[in-house]
């Protein structure tokens, strides 16, 4: 096994996955905080902090950060999710020390210059506006808010224009100080990297990072509900969801397999019945999103106004058929898809690095591919049908946007499923 993990004296975990057949390395810092750790009054601060970390430190200007990484042909980026924030890079193996230096610098010595903040607020406001103008994007925010109303887990990652427009440097600095502690962070690397040398690098650049305190997060309370927005669009964007499973649930891999079987590919039930046989959609798929203490199982479809009325009952019928049982061949095919997806991702150092970091944040340990494959192989058709019935029996969440006049109401959907 090429994976090694060390813990520094301040509690910072450092993990590597050595790949001897490449000349590059992917590395980064994953912090176990995201949108669900924000008070309502500063919704969007985690995402704004992600942006501002690149806008200058005590040693580097924003231009210098970009110039130094690109001068060696490297790539530097970041993302914010509901439970994580990540800052990551990909470089040639000889340039790993530079990448660690830059990431350590932006996470510990960012100045949050007031002029840079003013400009970046405008950038994020543009990003929010772009999301609002992208119905197949913004519909997921409305869906999440409907599933988890008045909760941090239901608020948008980008925040709102009103709140983001008022962010000040102290807001960002306080959030970083409070949440970016060593015990809430993992530094991971995958590729041509030596574990001992990498640990020494990280210790050199992160030894002064405070341990931090345990995170406090509001327990998820899935409720479900109905969101409808009439817009002058060509298509109806439709989301139907139910309570799913969390990362630690014994049927976590059952949920992944169920989603693959139901709407995860061209051979899936939804694709075959609704697109191939009936021609009602161009895009349709299912998804299983998990969090630390809850999850959502959902279906997304984009369809024309005339087809929407027929499509929704068919989706409900297909879910009910799934509850009646699945065949061994279907389960085997979905399991093969899942296994192949996981093993193919191992050819990417970026995927391996992120997977390792996420595993340490979620489970506190690396999870081998052999263990994952074994768990997928253990899923059987009885377990799939049982989970489908539990999902379908939960309160539905419906989000619809576009010309919605003929789309079934939530009450009609519930009646159809019961």
């Amino acid at each position: 096994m090429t994976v090694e993990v060390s813990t520094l004296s301040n509690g910072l975990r450092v993990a590597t996955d050595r790949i001897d057949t490449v000349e590059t390395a992917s590395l980064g810092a994953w912090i176990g905080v995201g949108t669900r750790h924000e008070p309502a009054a500063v919704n969007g601060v985690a995402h704004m902090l992600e942006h501002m970390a690149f806008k200058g430190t005590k040693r580097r200007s924003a231009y210098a950060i970009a110039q130094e990484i690109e001068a060696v042909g490297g790539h530097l980026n970041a993302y914010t999710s509901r439970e994580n924030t990540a800052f990551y890079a990909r470089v040639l193996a000889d340039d790993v020390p530079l990448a660690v230096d830059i990431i350590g610098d932006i996470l510990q010595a960012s100045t949050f210059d007031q002029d840079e903040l003013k400009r970046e607020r405008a950038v994020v406001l543009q990003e929010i506006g772009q999301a609002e103008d992208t119905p197949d994007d913004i519909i997921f925010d409305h869906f999440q808010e409907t599933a988890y109303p008045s909760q941090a887990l239901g608020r948008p990652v980008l925040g709102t224009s009103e709140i983001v427009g008022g962010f000040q440097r102290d807001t960002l600095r306080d959030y970083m100080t409070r949440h970016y502690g060593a015990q809430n962070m993992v530094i991971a690397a995958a590729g041509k990297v030596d574990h001992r040398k990498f640990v020494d690098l990280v210790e050199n650049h992160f030894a002064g990072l405070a341990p931090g305190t345990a995170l406090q997060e509001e327990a998820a309370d899935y409720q479900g509900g109905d969101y409808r927005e009439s817009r002058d669009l060509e298509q109806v964007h439709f989301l139907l969801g139910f309570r799913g499973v969390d990362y630690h649930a014994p049927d976590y891999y059952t949920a992944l397999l169920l989603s693959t079987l139901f709407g995860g590919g061209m051979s899936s039930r939804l694709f075959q019945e609704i697109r191939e046989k009936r021609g009602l959609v161009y895009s349709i798929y299912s998804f299983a999103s998990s969090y630390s203490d809850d999850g959502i199982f959902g279906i997304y479809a984009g369809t024309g106004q005339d087809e929407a009325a027929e499509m929704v009952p068919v989706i409900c019928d297909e879910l009910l058929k799934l509850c009646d049982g699945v065949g061994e061949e279907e389960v085997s095919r979905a399991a093969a898809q899942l296994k192949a997806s996981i093993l193919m991702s191992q050819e990417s150092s970026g995927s391996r690095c992120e997977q390792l970091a996420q595993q340490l944040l979620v489970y506190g340990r690396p999870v081998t591919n052999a263990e994952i494959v074994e768990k997928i192989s253990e899923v059987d058709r009885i377990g799939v049908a049982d989970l489908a019935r539990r999902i379908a029996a939960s309160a539905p969440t419906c989000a619809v946007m576009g010309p919605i006049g003929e789309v079934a109401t939530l009450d009609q959907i519930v009646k159809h499923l019961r």
Side-chain angles (χ1 to χ4, degrees):
M1 183 177 178
T2 60
V3 172
E4 294 183 75
V5 181
S6 298
T7 302
L8 304 187
S9 58
N10 60 359
L12 181 64
R13 288 163 290 179
V14 184
T16 60
D17 184 353
R18 191 184 72 253
I19 309 172
D20 293 327
T21 55
V22 300
E23 298 298 323
T24 63
S26 295
L27 61 114
W30 274 259
I31 305 99
V33 296
T35 309
R36 76 175 300 182
H37 303 97
E38 301 170 346
V42 292
N43 176 214
V45 66
H47 176 254
M48 178 60 80
L49 177 55
E50 172 215 315
H51 277 242
M52 284 302 298
F54 294 92
K55 297 305 172 182
T57 70
K58 295 175 182 178
R59 291 195 289 127
R60 293 178 171 94
S61 66
Y63 178 66
I65 292 170
Q67 185 184 49
E68 286 187 39
I69 197 72
E70 292 183 357
V72 298
H75 173 75
L76 183 66
N77 211 335
Y79 68 80
T80 306
S81 70
R82 289 189 163 81
E83 293 192 319
N84 303 136
T85 308
F87 301 83
Y88 57 93
R90 188 180 184 193
V91 293
L92 296 175
D94 289 343
D95 299 314
V96 167
L98 173 64
V100 173
D101 180 17
I102 291 176
I103 291 174
D105 195 22
I106 67 176
L107 292 184
Q108 298 172 91
S110 287
T111 57
F112 304 123
D113 178 79
Q114 195 66 42
D115 290 336
E116 290 285 359
L117 177 57
K118 182 178 178 180
R119 282 190 288 270
E120 207 59 28
R121 278 199 307 256
V123 170
V124 174
L125 290 174
Q126 292 290 334
E127 187 177 1
I128 293 171
Q130 184 176 8
E132 289 285 351
D133 287 343
T134 310
D136 57 345
D137 183 358
I138 197 65
I139 189 67
F140 280 87
D141 277 351
H142 295 308
F143 174 77
Q144 188 79 14
E145 185 178 13
T146 304
Y148 297 99
S150 303
Q151 300 173 56
L153 194 55
R155 291 194 278 269
V157 172
L158 300 183
T160 66
S161 298
E162 295 77 15
I163 294 175
V164 169
F167 281 152
Q168 300 299 319
R169 63 192 302 184
D170 288 345
T171 307
L172 304 180
R173 185 179 287 112
D174 291 347
Y175 185 87
M176 176 175 266
T177 300
R178 182 172 299 181
H179 293 92
Y180 278 42
Q183 295 180 25
N184 300 328
M185 189 181 298
V186 170
I187 309 295
K192 192 173 182 180
V193 58
D194 176 85
H195 181 73
R196 189 64 258 165
K197 291 180 179 178
F198 187 72
V199 171
D200 289 343
L201 275 173
V202 174
E203 190 161 29
N204 183 44
H205 290 284
F206 286 86
L209 186 66
T213 57
L215 296 175
Q216 300 295 320
E217 65 182 30
E218 177 184 65
D221 181 19
Y222 173 88
Q223 295 184 26
D226 197 26
Y227 175 88
R228 289 171 190 254
E229 181 179 337
S230 181
R231 280 198 190 184
D232 185 15
L233 302 172
E234 290 295 323
Q235 285 220 311
V236 175
H237 297 272
F238 175 82
L239 269 165
L240 177 63
F242 306 86
R243 187 174 187 183
V245 302
D246 62 62
Y247 283 123
H248 305 281
D251 46 9
Y252 169 72
Y253 288 99
T254 304
L256 295 182
L257 194 147
L258 171 61
S259 179
T260 301
L261 182 154
F262 192 46
M266 291 190 295
S267 65
S268 67
R269 291 192 178 196
L270 288 177
F271 193 93
Q272 283 296 312
E273 183 65 30
I274 296 175
R275 173 170 163 159
E276 296 297 279
K277 292 182 181 179
R278 297 175 184 259
L280 294 175
V281 300
Y282 172 72
S283 176
I284 187 165
Y285 57 86
S286 61
F287 56 92
S289 298
S290 292
Y291 306 108
S292 59
D293 58 349
D294 207 2
I296 291 182
F297 184 90
I299 302 108
Y300 166 83
T303 188
Q305 180 177 4
D306 294 339
E307 291 81 10
E310 181 182 353
M311 179 196 71
V312 177
V314 177
I315 290 176
C316 294
D317 287 340
E318 288 303 308
L319 181 57
L320 291 173
K321 290 177 185 176
L322 197 62
C323 296
D324 289 337
V326 297
E328 292 286 359
E329 183 180 345
E330 277 187 293
V331 172
S332 296
R333 185 171 62 243
Q337 285 180 261
L338 266 182
K339 293 174 187 177
S341 175
I342 290 166
L343 295 178
M344 287 178 183
S345 72
Q346 298 304 293
E347 297 179 4
S348 163
S349 63
S351 295
R352 287 170 70 156
C353 178
E354 180 171 23
Q355 177 177 287
L356 177 57
Q358 293 282 9
Q359 288 170 350
L360 286 169
L361 287 175
V362 173
Y363 302 112
R365 66 178 181 87
V367 182
T368 66
N369 291 327
E371 182 179 347
I372 294 172
V373 168
E374 181 180 3
K375 288 182 180 296
I376 294 171
S377 298
E378 290 173 352
V379 178
D380 58 29
R381 63 185 187 87
I382 296 174
V384 171
D386 284 346
L387 180 58
R389 285 190 287 270
R390 295 209 317 270
I391 287 172
S394 68
T397 299
C398 189
V400 192
M401 181 179 291
I404 62 175
E406 301 301 320
V407 181
T409 66
L410 183 63
D411 287 343
Q412 289 172 328
I413 291 171
V414 170
K415 185 177 180 180
H416 199 110
L417 290 172
R418 302 296 183 262

Short mmCIF file of all heavy atoms in Angstrom, two decimals, residues 16 99 103 184 186 200 205 231 234 239 272 299 390:
data_model
loop_
_atom_site.label_atom_id
_atom_site.label_comp_id
_atom_site.label_asym_id
_atom_site.label_seq_id
_atom_site.Cartn_x
_atom_site.Cartn_y
_atom_site.Cartn_z
N THR A 16 0.02 10.99 2.31
CA THR A 16 0.55 10.89 0.94
C THR A 16 0.14 9.56 0.32
O THR A 16 -0.06 8.56 1.01
CB THR A 16 2.08 10.99 0.90
OG1 THR A 16 2.64 9.92 1.68
CG2 THR A 16 2.56 12.33 1.44
N ALA A 99 4.77 24.66 -3.98
CA ALA A 99 3.32 24.56 -3.81
C ALA A 99 2.94 24.52 -2.34
O ALA A 99 1.97 25.17 -1.91
CB ALA A 99 2.78 23.32 -4.53
N ILE A 103 0.58 27.40 -0.52
CA ILE A 103 -0.66 27.04 0.19
C ILE A 103 -0.56 27.37 1.67
O ILE A 103 -1.50 27.90 2.27
CB ILE A 103 -0.99 25.55 -0.04
CG1 ILE A 103 -1.39 25.32 -1.50
CG2 ILE A 103 -2.12 25.10 0.89
CD1 ILE A 103 -1.60 23.88 -1.88
N ASN A 184 -8.77 20.57 12.27
CA ASN A 184 -9.85 20.52 11.30
C ASN A 184 -9.34 20.41 9.86
O ASN A 184 -10.11 20.55 8.92
CB ASN A 184 -10.71 21.79 11.41
CG ASN A 184 -11.32 21.96 12.77
OD1 ASN A 184 -11.63 20.98 13.44
ND2 ASN A 184 -11.49 23.21 13.20
N VAL A 186 -6.56 18.67 6.79
CA VAL A 186 -5.72 17.58 6.29
C VAL A 186 -4.89 18.14 5.14
O VAL A 186 -5.42 18.80 4.24
CB VAL A 186 -6.56 16.39 5.78
CG1 VAL A 186 -5.68 15.38 5.04
CG2 VAL A 186 -7.30 15.72 6.92
N ASP A 200 8.09 16.71 6.35
CA ASP A 200 9.04 17.74 6.80
C ASP A 200 8.68 19.10 6.20
O ASP A 200 8.75 20.13 6.88
CB ASP A 200 10.46 17.36 6.41
CG ASP A 200 11.00 16.18 7.22
OD1 ASP A 200 10.41 15.89 8.28
OD2 ASP A 200 11.98 15.56 6.79
N HIS A 205 6.17 24.53 7.18
CA HIS A 205 5.28 25.63 6.78
C HIS A 205 4.00 25.73 7.61
O HIS A 205 3.32 26.76 7.55
CB HIS A 205 4.90 25.48 5.30
CG HIS A 205 6.04 25.74 4.37
ND1 HIS A 205 6.50 27.01 4.09
CD2 HIS A 205 6.84 24.90 3.67
CE1 HIS A 205 7.53 26.94 3.25
NE2 HIS A 205 7.76 25.67 2.99
N ARG A 231 -40.83 30.72 -14.77
CA ARG A 231 -39.89 31.54 -15.55
C ARG A 231 -40.16 31.32 -17.03
O ARG A 231 -40.59 30.24 -17.44
CB ARG A 231 -38.44 31.17 -15.25
CG ARG A 231 -37.86 31.77 -13.99
CD ARG A 231 -36.34 31.70 -14.05
NE ARG A 231 -35.70 32.04 -12.79
CZ ARG A 231 -34.38 32.13 -12.64
NH1 ARG A 231 -33.58 31.88 -13.67
NH2 ARG A 231 -33.87 32.44 -11.47
N GLU A 234 -37.28 27.79 -22.00
CA GLU A 234 -37.65 26.77 -22.98
C GLU A 234 -37.97 25.44 -22.32
O GLU A 234 -38.76 24.66 -22.83
CB GLU A 234 -36.50 26.57 -23.99
CG GLU A 234 -36.29 27.74 -24.95
CD GLU A 234 -37.48 27.93 -25.87
OE1 GLU A 234 -38.09 26.93 -26.29
OE2 GLU A 234 -37.82 29.09 -26.16
N LEU A 239 -36.72 18.76 -10.10
CA LEU A 239 -35.98 17.98 -9.13
C LEU A 239 -36.95 17.34 -8.14
O LEU A 239 -37.81 18.02 -7.58
CB LEU A 239 -35.00 18.87 -8.36
CG LEU A 239 -33.59 19.01 -8.91
CD1 LEU A 239 -32.88 20.17 -8.25
CD2 LEU A 239 -32.79 17.74 -8.71
N GLN A 272 -33.59 4.71 -19.87
CA GLN A 272 -34.22 3.84 -20.85
C GLN A 272 -35.71 4.13 -21.00
O GLN A 272 -36.23 4.24 -22.12
CB GLN A 272 -34.01 2.37 -20.45
CG GLN A 272 -32.62 1.84 -20.76
CD GLN A 272 -32.32 1.82 -22.24
OE1 GLN A 272 -33.12 1.34 -23.05
NE2 GLN A 272 -31.17 2.37 -22.63
N ILE A 299 -33.66 12.98 -8.10
CA ILE A 299 -33.76 12.81 -9.55
C ILE A 299 -33.87 14.20 -10.18
O ILE A 299 -34.68 15.02 -9.73
CB ILE A 299 -35.00 11.99 -9.95
CG1 ILE A 299 -34.98 10.61 -9.29
CG2 ILE A 299 -35.12 11.86 -11.47
CD1 ILE A 299 -35.99 10.44 -8.20
N ARG A 390 -37.59 2.54 1.61
CA ARG A 390 -37.39 3.51 2.68
C ARG A 390 -37.30 4.93 2.12
O ARG A 390 -37.86 5.87 2.70
CB ARG A 390 -36.13 3.18 3.49
CG ARG A 390 -36.21 1.87 4.24
CD ARG A 390 -35.35 1.87 5.50
NE ARG A 390 -34.04 2.47 5.33
CZ ARG A 390 -32.94 1.79 4.96
NH1 ARG A 390 -33.03 0.49 4.70
NH2 ARG A 390 -31.79 2.39 4.88
#
